[in-house]
Amino acid sequence: MALEEYAAKRTFANTPEPAPGKTKSKPGAYFCVQRHDATRLHYDFRLEIDGVLKSWAVPKGPSLDPAVKHLAAHVEDHPVEYGDFEGTIPAGNYGAGSVMLWDRGTFDLLGDTSADDQIKRGDLKFRLHGEKLNGDFALVLMKGRGKGNEWLIIKKKDEFATPAWDIEGYAYSVLSGRTQEEIARNLPAKKAKRKTSGAADRVWSSSRPATRAIAKPATSASKPAPKKKLPKSIPAA
């Protein structure tokens, strides 16, 4: 899929989305996930391959639970610049609605064949290094189904696998710390952003290593205060 399809669907004078431009080489392959509240809420999963962002629309979003296999529709390529995009696409434009930069980082291609060859055969394997998503994943084409663009995104069993992982517990931007509603209302970025790892040349990043996206265990309850001693002149009950 070429960027001509991406450009043909958009009027850049009317949308804040980036037009295709000259991209610079980067130290590692970039990935991002954008939470897009358009006609229907969905997640756009993107991998930087051959100078563009190969993209899949995932209605239920990716998961860290290996038992979950979510539909991922292969859509048009996006420019690498789109990996930084967060904001609201105005009504009347293609994909109108708020877009959150939900996760980002880098990825390693797995296997001995190129990403292009893996996509052609319908079995793309990779390892993510993100703020929320980490570990080994696969995108697998559902052959003989629908329009031919229907894939499944699957988490492999590894140290990052998390049974019953709930994506709704992570509905905040790694770029601005905002919720979807705050982005739609064009509210300013949070003063204290949650730090993210991955591509250091992006708008906002951290040198801290990626951490596993699981909730912190609750702290133990504090011990009750010791009972006060009664004066000797007052007998205890």
Side-chain angles (χ1 to χ4, degrees):
M1 296 184 184
L3 293 178
E4 284 78 7
E5 183 178 352
Y6 167 85
K9 291 181 176 181
R10 293 163 175 84
T11 302
F12 295 106
N14 300 332
T15 177
E17 297 169 284
K22 187 176 181 180
T23 61
K24 298 179 180 179
S25 61
K26 298 176 177 61
Y30 180 71
F31 93 90
C32 71
V33 182
Q34 284 155 317
R35 191 175 191 264
H36 190 177
D37 191 10
T39 304
R40 294 181 180 178
L41 179 66
H42 66 278
Y43 293 76
D44 292 308
F45 184 85
R46 311 190 195 280
L47 298 172
E48 183 182 351
I49 297 172
D50 296 333
V52 298
L53 292 175
K54 298 292 182 181
S55 302
W56 288 261
V58 187
K60 295 183 178 180
S63 177
L64 288 177
D65 186 351
V68 171
K69 298 179 181 180
H70 283 165
L71 176 68
H74 196 191
V75 297
E76 74 272 13
D77 295 343
H78 282 52
V80 173
E81 295 89 345
Y82 206 95
D84 292 329
F85 177 67
E86 178 173 290
T88 300
I89 302 171
N93 290 272
Y94 177 78
S98 58
V99 178
M100 171 196 292
L101 187 53
W102 183 84
D103 197 16
R104 63 178 174 180
T106 59
F107 75 95
D108 301 319
L109 186 68
L110 302 178
D112 298 327
T113 56
S114 69
D116 185 58
D117 286 342
Q118 290 190 36
I119 291 174
K120 287 178 180 177
R121 76 184 185 195
D123 188 7
L124 177 62
K125 294 182 174 65
F126 47 90
R127 180 173 295 132
L128 299 181
H129 310 282
E131 171 73 9
K132 301 173 184 177
L133 300 178
N134 285 277
D136 294 359
F137 287 78
L139 278 161
V140 180
L141 178 63
M142 300 171 68
K143 297 180 180 179
R145 295 286 298 272
K147 299 178 181 179
N149 68 335
E150 297 176 343
W151 296 59
L152 293 174
I153 185 167
I154 304 167
K155 177 74 185 77
K156 298 295 185 178
K157 293 181 179 179
D158 58 20
E159 67 271 27
F160 297 103
T162 308
W165 188 78
D166 184 9
I167 196 171
E168 288 303 315
Y170 303 88
Y172 61 86
S173 165
V174 295
L175 178 69
S176 65
R178 296 181 294 177
T179 64
Q180 200 83 38
E181 181 183 359
E182 289 168 337
I183 294 169
R185 294 170 58 192
N186 198 29
L187 297 181
K190 299 292 183 66
K191 291 183 179 179
K193 303 183 186 73
R194 294 175 173 87
K195 291 189 176 182
T196 181
S197 62
D201 60 333
R202 298 291 168 171
V203 174
W204 186 86
S205 61
S206 169
S207 60
R208 292 177 60 184
T211 56
R212 191 173 173 184
I214 57 175
K216 294 181 178 179
T219 56
S220 58
S222 58
K223 295 181 179 180
K227 294 182 179 179
K228 293 182 178 180
K229 293 183 179 180
L230 296 173
K232 293 183 180 178
S233 58
I234 302 176

